[in-house]
Amino acid sequence: MANAVFKLTEKEIQHLLSKIQADTSNLPAGMRARTKYKGTTINIYNSKKVMFQGNQAEQVAQQLLGTSASPAPSKTKKTKSADTSKTFPFNQSNCIGSDEAGSGDYFGPLTVCAAYVSKKNAEILKTLGVDDSKKLTDAKIVELAEQLVTFIPHSLLTMNNDKYNQQQQKGWSQVKMKAVLHNQAIQNVSNRIAQQGEPLDYIVIDQFAVRGVYQNYALSPMPYPDKTCFETKGESKSLAIAAASIISRYAFVKYMDQMSRDVHQTVPKGASNKVDLFAARIIDQYGIQKLDSMSKAHFKNRDKALNLYNKKH
């Protein structure tokens, strides 16, 4: 299946909408309209990007947009680190990538995503501007994730703070939690693409543990161990990891936004002194149990916040 992505002006989008009967209700976040036209799926996003998907995607796009319309340029810059893995050509393969977000943040959950990127979709991800999520603003992550989830097969798992603290008290390290979640997400996506008859060349995990430790902690067998690779700085080597990173970070950001609304103030990310001060304020306003329900209780930030609170009182 071919894909084509275009960046349009508002006037061009209105002109396109006048030619098609598009559905504008019950859409995923970030999507403005969608329809099927002559066997081609058309997704119109709030970012003003339009994706055509189907065997005749480019022809249908040209028919509807005119010959003057040109595809959106790729925003992925070629750097030395962008293709450091010569042994495993992940971006020229059909690949599942997995990554997590929130592991270094005192507040908020641990989110893990596995995403499948086919050879055909790799170029589309480059065009959309998929990159290492650490280089992207939260606003850009939200924009990209809301596009990716509409066509990239993925599994997103969220371990909230109550569950995280419960498992930690049972003796689970954070590495074990991540191994369990990564393996489950990968299994979910593997099952899905197998049912759809999609090919799979590689599974690549953004490395947080060596293979032996991962296998020991994962609780269930690795789906395809002979196809599985562990890569440090994987987001720069695999678009599948980059996509998984963006979706997992998106889930973390949206969770933090909801948490901020619940306490009527912006909950800070990370684990800095600013976080300690905010945590002390939460103890003052809501109590220690509320703080624990919002955070990873074994982080040193908890003790620092309690010391700040006690000094005040």
Side-chain angles (χ1 to χ4, degrees), residues 177-207:
M177 295 180 208
K178 289 197 281 190
V180 170
L181 293 174
H182 274 259
N183 214 51
Q184 184 59 60
I186 290 168
Q187 184 68 68
N188 293 345
V189 177
S190 298
N191 292 343
R192 180 175 172 185
I193 65 172
Q195 290 171 359
Q196 296 172 346
E198 295 279 0
L200 177 63
D201 300 313
Y202 295 108
I203 295 171
V204 55
I205 300 168
D206 194 48
Q207 184 168 318

Side-chain angles (χ1 to χ4, degrees), residues 17 22-27 32-34:
L17 288 171
D23 182 9
T24 57
S25 60
N26 299 319
L27 299 174
R32 180 171 173 178
R34 68 179 169 192

Side-chain angles (χ1 to χ4, degrees), residues 108-227:
L110 177 63
T111 59
V112 172
C113 179
Y116 172 74
V117 177
S118 65
K119 288 188 283 188
K120 294 176 182 178
N121 279 335
E123 288 303 315
I124 294 298
L125 265 61
K126 292 178 184 177
T127 300
L128 291 174
V130 170
D131 201 349
D132 183 341
S133 67
K134 296 180 182 67
K135 300 176 183 176
L136 303 173
T137 64
D138 284 352
K140 186 63 178 175
I141 285 168
V142 169
E143 177 191 315
L144 283 171
E146 290 179 345
Q147 295 173 60
L148 293 176
V149 297
T150 64
F151 70 98
I152 294 293
H154 67 281
S155 173
L156 174 65
L157 303 177
T158 298
M159 180 179 279
N160 65 29
N161 293 111
D162 285 337
K163 182 67 173 178
Y164 181 101
N165 292 332
Q166 183 183 58
Q167 296 306 111
Q168 198 274 331
Q169 288 169 8
K170 288 180 180 178
W172 284 34
S173 67
Q174 193 180 84
V175 172
K176 182 177 179 68
M177 295 180 208
K178 289 197 281 190
V180 170
L181 293 174
H182 274 259
N183 214 51
Q184 184 59 60
I186 290 168
Q187 184 68 68
N188 293 345
V189 177
S190 298
N191 292 343
R192 180 175 172 185
I193 65 172
Q195 290 171 359
Q196 296 172 346
E198 295 279 0
L200 177 63
D201 300 313
Y202 295 108
I203 295 171
V204 55
I205 300 168
D206 194 48
Q207 184 168 318
F208 56 87
V210 297
R211 179 184 289 266
V213 172
Y214 179 96
Q215 288 178 308
N216 184 51
Y217 280 155
L219 294 185
S220 58
M222 294 168 64
Y224 297 94
D226 56 325
K227 295 183 178 182

Side-chain angles (χ1 to χ4, degrees), residues 41-77:
T41 299
I42 304 173
N43 293 326
I44 302 174
Y45 296 100
N46 293 334
S47 62
K48 293 189 171 64
K49 286 180 180 174
V50 180
M51 180 183 296
F52 294 80
Q53 293 177 288
N55 293 331
Q56 304 297 316
E58 292 185 5
Q59 294 90 324
V60 170
Q62 192 173 78
Q63 177 187 341
L64 290 173
L65 302 179
T67 55
S68 60
S70 57
S74 172
K75 292 186 179 179
T76 302
K77 296 179 180 178

Side-chain angles (χ1 to χ4, degrees), residues 253-265:
V253 168
K254 299 300 282 186
Y255 196 105
M256 291 287 280
D257 287 346
Q258 181 58 54
M259 192 179 286
S260 296
R261 287 191 288 271
D262 288 343
V263 295
H264 310 292
Q265 50 198 314

